[in-house]
Amino acid sequence: MSQSEYENDELVFFDEDDTPAENTKDREVWNLLVVDDDEEIHSVTRLALSDLEVNGRVLKFYHAYSGKEALEVMEKLGNKIAIILLDVVMETDDAGLVTARKMREELKLDEPRIILRTGQPGYAPEEKIIKEYDINDYKTKTELTRSKLVTTIIASIRSYQQILSIKQNREGLRKIIHSASNLLEEHSVKGYCEGVVTQISSLMGLDADGIVCARAGSMLDKDDNGVYVLGAAGEFATYINQKLENMHDTRIVHQVIQCLLRKEHIFDKDFTVLYMCSAGHEAAVFVRIGKDIDETHKQLLEVFLSSVSVGYENVNLFHELRLAAYRDWLTKLPNRTEFINLLDNIDEEKIATGKMVAALVDINHFADINDGLGQEVGNQLLIAVADLLKERLGDSVGKGRIGADVFGLVGFEEDINPKVLNDLFKEHFKAGEHSLLVNMTMGLAKLTDSEASGLDIIKYANIALNRAKRNAASNYEYYLGEMEEQTFWRLAMMRQLRTDFSERKLQLWYQPQVCLKSEKIIGMEALLRWPSKEGGFISPAVFVPLAEYSGLIVEIGMWVLEESCRRIKELQALKVDNMRIAVNISVPQFRDPHFVPHVMKIITNSKICPSQIELEITESVAMDEPNIVVESLKALKDFGVSIAIDDFGTGFSSMSYLQQLPLDRLKVDRAFVKDIGEGRSSFFAETIVTLGKKLGLDTIAEGIETREQVAYMQNLGCDEAQGFLYAKPMPFDELVAFISSYQPGQYLQ
């Protein structure tokens, strides 16, 4: 069968009508016994291998559905069975292993090759079972795709054929099997390759003196296509892990490369270069023999190489898996696990100097690069950053990629400090066709405690990193002990807030708002209150940021809106009409894709007029997510909801942007009101009221506490006011009593 016919790497399930015709009649065959309690496995195996031809022979299939049936077939055919495809789990969990043992020990069948298969990886045989009962290969059924099954069968048939051809040298055969079994214990590529040289030399009756080389392209930790010495013995041992070209003997270099290029053995009167390959993992074994090799020894070597090639594949895969466990696949830097190991093993004398520091470097807005330019560009950017760190920081600095866009560094402070790292990130990074200038944030932790674990150090640097992300003035923070206490406090507060909210302990208070012309109450602002265990209330300045950070603000915001709508209905029932309630909205609520429809649904279900709800946003909210905010507010404005902007004038808003907002009202911040009085004026308050008039917006002054402030704002033409002069925030029951007893102008006499 040609290679192209194996390009489909899956076992094909044919219909009964598609079964190939029997082709073993009047031809030499290889007898293959399929032992499995699943009829479908028999059919699939037969159909997948039906047209396979090896050395001029086709396969003849025998079938058994239990260990007992298999032993009966084995007893009848004996060593004429070339291969046994043996299921591990049949009538019992270890039926296949029991069958293998009886075959070898009781029936004394040494020649047939056994390939263990299982659909339940949890029943994997122990290594000693593989060794003692001469198992050729062990695979899960899902692992045995069509091409791998064919490859395994061909390799096993060759092994069987060669075993038969050298029956006269039974002692040598046992030595090969024993050698291959011992080599399977080696999980080190280096150790395995040294073992190959040693065993080949032993087979040939020579002192161990040779090398094993492999193409670097098959190794996970090599980035070039050079040829490296992976194992060696005798005088060549000093070249282990070096490039082959560094060897002093140019003839060896030439012959090894020729072997790898030609993919075949080279036999010479003075030396032999043996080609070994399994599943793409190839190697050339150079052995200085000094005599011609007869056919018997060549056959011995073929069988040996057939056996150890599978082992060579396994140790390569084990090596790659081990590297994958400790190395980032993209940047080739140590991953989080290995970086923590690096921190765990820092020399105590270095820590004692007090000059060691660990840092976490987080690329800002990396998700935007992935979303806007594509993941491939994002990956190329990460590689570019890793390459720059490797090139500019040198080997004295430990490096790792410990998160999607977070790099870890450890070394002396002269190499790792904000200035050095900020200077590095002033450069543009090449990512495909793009040249990107990126910003980053740093969290740094000085290493002063030799007892601190790698995980502790990562935690300290991460705490500092999170602090730095909240620091608008700088892109870095150094870890301080009190930061951890603050972090624990924040986490405890967030847990308590979530608990109290779920138990409906949060309260909604209301502060009346009045019309400066009529002095009548025209609305109120809903203000969230969180009772503390000690009595009193926790400041909104404390818990609102916690609620926003944890995402709980979205649920709380919906509850506030529902509660406000319910109170409007209660006021209407008390004949208090035309009152609006202002509800504050935060950035996380706008980011919620269901925010707008939820608001509309709550208002609709409450059966109140949408204009009785006023959504208040701060200037910072308006500027943080401008596109989302404008789009959402326009939809709600069209629905009938009023929109106000709070704290206006305290930030740095773009006037052109503000004109895009569908506003109804500007709030004059209390910071611009508090200085009014006793002959003092407020330029900012005057500017905001004038701006409101020009934009056709109402204005409301916050923090009104004196009659002078009322008179001043009235003279400016301000429309509304709220503050302690009129009323402090109060629970709903007190609000109802206040409204019923309120007389316009009573506080202005």
Side-chain angles (χ1 to χ4, degrees):
M1 181 178 286
S2 67
Q3 179 63 35
S4 62
E5 292 176 88
Y6 295 134
E7 288 179 353
N8 182 4
D9 200 27
E10 299 179 353
L11 287 178
V12 179
F13 289 70
F14 293 96
D15 296 329
E16 289 297 327
D17 294 340
D18 296 328
T19 303
E22 182 64 43
N23 57 5
T24 62
K25 187 176 181 180
D26 300 326
R27 294 186 62 180
E28 286 192 281
V29 297
W30 301 109
N31 293 321
L32 185 147
L33 174 59
V34 182
V35 186
D36 201 299
D37 58 357
D38 187 347
E39 174 62 43
E40 191 172 31
I41 295 298
H42 287 262
S43 300
V44 169
T45 303
R46 185 184 184 94
L47 294 172
L49 301 174
S50 60
D51 55 353
L52 179 64
E53 183 173 321
V54 182
N55 293 343
R57 299 187 190 184
V58 295
L59 301 180
K60 183 172 182 179
F61 294 85
Y62 292 84
H63 299 275
Y65 297 88
S66 66
K68 180 181 178 182
E69 289 183 24
L71 290 170
E72 291 174 356
V73 176
M74 293 176 195
E75 191 170 10
K76 179 179 179 181
L77 295 178
N79 287 324
K80 292 181 180 179
I81 301 175
I83 300 174
I84 302 169
L85 288 169
L86 181 58
D87 190 16
V88 176
V89 181
M90 293 183 287
E91 62 265 38
T92 62
D93 289 345
D94 62 347
L97 302 181
V98 171
T99 301
R101 178 179 61 78
K102 290 183 178 181
M103 168 189 162
R104 298 298 192 206
E105 293 182 354
E106 297 179 15
L107 299 182
K108 305 297 182 183
L109 299 179
D110 297 318
E111 285 80 5
R113 302 294 86 211
I114 301 175
I115 300 170
L116 281 179
R117 302 194 293 185
T118 184
Q120 304 182 46
Y123 293 104
E126 297 178 355
E127 283 188 7
K128 79 170 194 173
I129 299 294
I130 294 178
K131 296 176 194 173
E132 290 178 1
Y133 302 117
D134 186 19
I135 307 300
N136 250 48
D137 207 352
Y138 172 76
K139 302 284 187 183
T140 62
K141 292 176 182 178
T142 56
E143 198 177 2
L144 274 178
T145 59
R146 179 172 184 170
S147 63
K148 287 187 177 180
L149 178 60
V150 169
T151 301
T152 301
I153 292 294
I154 292 173
S156 299
I157 287 176
R158 286 176 179 168
S159 178
Y160 171 75
Q161 184 181 31
Q162 290 155 358
I163 288 173
L164 292 179
S165 70
I166 55 173
K167 272 188 175 181
Q168 68 273 21
N169 197 345
R170 179 68 67 176
E171 184 61 31
L173 174 61
R174 283 198 296 269
K175 189 173 185 179
I176 292 170
I177 296 172
H178 178 69
S179 299
S181 298
N182 284 342
L183 287 171
L184 285 174
E185 296 177 356
E186 289 288 350
H187 289 308
S188 161
V189 175
K190 172 178 171 290
Y192 187 86
C193 293
E194 290 174 352
V196 170
V197 171
T198 302
Q199 296 295 349
I200 289 177
S201 300
S202 176
L203 285 173
M204 306 307 298
L206 304 169
D207 292 331
D209 190 11
I211 63 171
V212 176
C213 303
R215 287 203 181 281
S218 66
M219 304 298 293
L220 188 65
D221 58 341
K222 304 292 184 184
D223 295 324
D224 58 63
N225 289 317
V227 179
Y228 286 78
V229 178
L230 300 182
E235 66 176 279
F236 304 116
T238 57
Y239 293 104
I240 294 175
N241 291 330
Q242 293 189 36
K243 281 191 173 184
L244 177 66
E245 63 193 45
N246 294 337
M247 291 193 64
H248 65 280
D249 193 327
T250 56
R251 183 181 63 161
I252 295 177
V253 174
H254 175 73
Q255 294 299 335
V256 166
I257 292 176
Q258 285 300 307
C259 176
L260 291 170
L261 290 174
R262 290 156 53 179
K263 302 186 184 300
E264 61 182 25
H265 308 316
I266 298 176
F267 295 102
D268 189 88
K269 63 179 181 179
D270 296 324
F271 63 86
T272 294
V273 189
L274 302 170
Y275 179 72
M276 184 168 62
C277 182
S278 180
H281 299 281
E282 60 178 3
V285 186
F286 178 91
V287 183
R288 184 174 291 159
I289 293 178
K291 64 179 181 180
D292 290 331
I293 300 178
D294 58 31
E295 289 302 317
T296 299
H297 278 100
K298 286 182 179 180
Q299 290 175 340
L300 279 169
L301 290 173
E302 285 287 353
V303 176
F304 180 77
L305 290 174
S306 177
S307 299
V308 300
S309 290
V310 175
Y312 180 63
E313 174 192 355
N314 290 338
V315 294
N316 268 280
L317 291 174
F318 184 89
H319 183 65
E320 291 177 0
L321 287 171
R322 186 178 184 280
L323 286 173
Y326 295 101
R327 179 160 299 184
D328 173 47
W329 65 273
L330 180 66
T331 64
K332 302 300 187 292
L333 290 174
N335 62 11
R336 178 184 174 88
T337 302
E338 181 64 7
F339 188 71
I340 290 173
N341 290 339
L342 182 64
L343 295 174
D344 281 330
N345 294 305
I346 295 175
D347 193 320
E348 290 186 10
E349 293 183 2
K350 290 184 177 180
I351 296 177
T353 65
K355 297 179 180 180
M356 291 286 289
V357 64
L360 297 184
V361 178
D362 188 333
I363 298 176
N364 296 339
H365 307 298
F366 179 72
D368 293 339
I369 295 173
N370 264 349
D371 295 341
L373 301 178
Q375 187 173 356
E376 182 60 30
V377 173
N379 287 344
Q380 290 171 337
L381 173 61
L382 293 173
I383 294 171
V385 171
D387 289 345
L388 181 70
L389 295 176
K390 285 185 272 189
E391 176 188 344
R392 299 286 288 277
L393 296 182
D395 295 335
S396 61
V397 174
K399 310 166 193 72
R401 182 188 175 204
I402 67 168
D405 58 350
V406 180
F407 293 87
L409 302 170
V410 62
F412 286 105
E413 194 166 10
E414 63 186 29
D415 299 315
I416 303 174
N417 59 65
K419 183 180 185 309
V420 168
L421 297 178
N422 277 321
D423 286 345
L424 283 181
F425 278 80
K426 287 179 181 177
E427 300 188 15
H428 284 75
F429 293 94
K430 187 70 174 175
E433 298 177 353
H434 302 274
S435 180
L436 303 175
L437 184 62
V438 299
N439 298 317
M440 56 83 181
T441 305
M442 292 170 277
L444 303 101
K446 293 184 178 181
L447 308 188
T448 56
D449 182 6
S450 60
E451 298 298 319
S453 68
L455 278 173
D456 289 333
I457 296 169
I458 288 283
K459 179 180 70 174
Y460 300 153
N462 195 57
I463 290 172
L465 176 63
N466 288 330
R467 290 273 299 214
K469 288 180 178 180
R470 297 194 297 272
N471 185 353
S474 175
N475 72 331
Y476 70 90
E477 287 275 4
Y478 277 90
Y479 171 78
L480 299 173
E482 55 265 29
M483 287 182 181
E484 189 167 7
E485 296 176 7
Q486 293 172 0
T487 300
F488 286 143
W489 175 85
R490 283 168 56 83
L491 291 173
M493 290 291 284
M494 284 191 286
R495 285 194 296 268
Q496 188 62 49
L497 177 59
R498 188 171 291 277
T499 299
D500 285 0
F501 176 63
S502 65
E503 294 176 358
R504 305 191 70 81
K505 292 182 179 179
L506 270 62
Q507 301 174 11
L508 204 58
W509 287 27
Y510 305 87
Q511 185 174 30
Q513 298 171 330
V514 300
C515 171
L516 285 177
K517 289 183 179 179
S518 66
E519 300 175 352
K520 292 181 179 180
I521 298 173
I522 42 82
M524 62 219 68
E525 181 179 4
L527 299 168
L528 197 60
R529 293 290 184 263
W530 182 16
S532 67
K533 294 181 179 179
E534 296 78 20
F537 296 90
I538 298 169
S539 169
V542 172
F543 74 79
V544 169
L546 295 178
E548 291 180 351
Y549 182 78
S550 66
L552 186 60
I553 194 66
V554 175
E555 296 177 54
I556 293 176
M558 288 299 106
W559 172 77
V560 169
L561 182 61
E562 290 173 350
E563 188 74 0
S564 298
C565 292
R566 185 171 70 86
R567 294 307 191 185
I568 288 175
K569 289 295 290 183
E570 290 185 19
L571 289 174
Q572 289 176 347
L574 295 171
K575 307 301 181 182
V576 180
D577 297 321
N578 301 320
M579 290 285 182
R580 69 167 188 263
I581 294 184
V583 175
N584 291 282
I585 303 298
S586 65
V587 171
Q589 290 175 269
F590 280 107
R591 290 176 181 156
D592 178 10
H594 305 295
F595 170 66
V596 172
H598 276 179
V599 171
M600 294 179 178
K601 182 178 180 181
I602 290 171
I603 294 174
T604 301
N605 291 345
S606 300
K607 297 181 179 178
I608 65 171
C609 180
S611 62
Q612 291 183 275
I613 291 294
E614 181 171 87
L615 300 182
E616 279 192 10
I617 61 170
T618 63
E619 193 173 2
S620 59
V621 168
M623 296 302 296
D624 192 56
E625 294 280 2
N627 294 332
I628 296 176
V629 170
V630 170
E631 184 178 343
S632 299
L633 291 183
K634 283 183 177 179
L636 291 169
K637 174 75 171 180
D638 292 342
F639 179 67
V641 172
S642 298
I643 310 294
I645 187 164
D646 196 4
D647 300 337
F648 184 72
T650 60
F652 302 94
S653 303
S654 163
M655 296 304 298
S656 62
Y657 167 65
L658 285 175
Q659 285 183 288
Q660 300 177 37
L661 294 172
L663 300 176
D664 294 283
R665 188 171 286 100
L666 294 182
K667 273 195 150 185
V668 182
D669 189 78
R670 67 184 68 248
F672 305 137
V673 173
K674 66 179 182 179
D675 293 331
I676 298 172
E678 297 181 359
R680 297 191 305 271
S681 62
S682 173
F683 169 78
F684 289 105
E686 182 178 350
T687 301
I688 293 171
V689 172
T690 301
L691 177 64
K693 290 179 180 179
K694 289 186 178 297
L695 294 176
L697 304 177
D698 291 336
T699 52
I700 180 171
E702 290 185 299
I704 296 292
E705 297 183 359
T706 68
R707 282 182 255 177
E708 288 83 0
Q709 291 169 346
V710 171
Y712 184 85
M713 296 308 297
Q714 283 178 328
N715 289 334
L716 290 180
C718 185
D719 302 293
E720 300 167 0
Q722 70 182 81
F724 285 4
L725 177 65
Y726 301 104
K728 294 181 179 181
M730 61 190 77
F732 183 75
D733 291 343
E734 293 182 20
L735 174 71
V736 172
F738 175 82
I739 292 174
S740 64
S741 63
Y742 176 79
Q743 296 296 322
Q746 68 183 59
Y747 296 100
L748 305 179
Q749 303 301 321

